[in-house]
Amino acid sequence: GAKLTAAKDHIWALREDPGYFLDTILSHKEHRQEVIPDSTGEIHPTLKPGQQRIFWDRVINEVLANAYMSLEVWNDLYKQATVLEGLQEKHKSRISIHKDLPDDYLDALLKFKFYLEQNLKGPIQVLKQSVVASPELRRFFVREPQELGTSRMVVRSKASAPADKIRTRLMWLFNAMWDQRTSFLCGIDNLVDETERLIQSDKRAKELVSPYIASVFGDLSLLAQCLRQIKTYQPWAETFEHAMVEKEPGIKSEYGTMTNPRVAFLGVLEGTSIASFGTPEDQRFYYPVDKRPTKENIDTMREAERNLDSFWEQAAGFDHM
């Protein structure tokens, strides 16, 4: 419930608060791999004069996509958790370690487990793209020169990066999360737990994690905790894999039907260019709300509000967010 409320508040603030909108745009910009200098010391082609609109389109589209997807995901999971609570209460007199779970309760648990596993992929992908570019870690990585005609970027550790056991351990854990084989062998919940322990117990590790990365990791952590609760729901958890053989096709079909509109939305968004209205240039979103309310500051805030309204008018196709 708290995550759903936060997702709604985030979208509201993006629409209504120019200062928040600006901070969010700039934070995403600082976590894009384009900002990492390449091995020859060159900046990315989209950061060169005359090409920056492409870069800002990517940043702004990412902000909108993340906001929309976060709201949809937490809304789905909240509804399912509410259903599970209701079914648990309904069947509390029938649930016994000596009996199979009631069919409707088992179906709801398997569906929730499947959705958690699918939705874990979102924050993991964001971390994969953003951790190496974050201001706290960027200096330890280098980007290969951009291959013409592609948008794919290749980032590797700098050979000259100083040895650091804590940074090495942190990066091993992050890499393990998005490596499917390692994640499967170790368990995503175990990797998340170990990362949390490292960050909480070591000041150096905490300093290497930006606020944005910490926020994304927080989402991943909650999803992993929910998944662990289902995986350790004994003694019935031992039967879930077998039960999914029969149930998974139907769950997959339902999941696809529900998420198809989101996939379509992301496709439309990717082909949209609204950077000219949302680019944080010329202080168009400067919002001195914490300054003394002089006429000049009030006029500046009103102008920022008008500029933000203009941006959202151009993004009118996303009103369902």
Side-chain angles (χ1 to χ4, degrees), residues 292-309:
R292 192 164 60 89
T294 63
K295 181 181 184 302
E296 181 180 359
N297 285 338
I298 291 173
D299 288 345
T300 297
M301 287 192 290
R302 287 174 175 167
E303 180 63 21
E305 290 167 356
R306 283 192 290 270
N307 287 333
L308 187 59
D309 288 343

Side-chain angles (χ1 to χ4, degrees), residues 56-66 269-272 274:
W56 285 114
D57 270 334
R58 292 176 181 176
V59 172
I60 293 167
N61 289 350
E62 183 176 68
V63 168
L64 297 182
N66 287 356
L269 184 58
E270 188 174 347
T272 301
I274 51 178

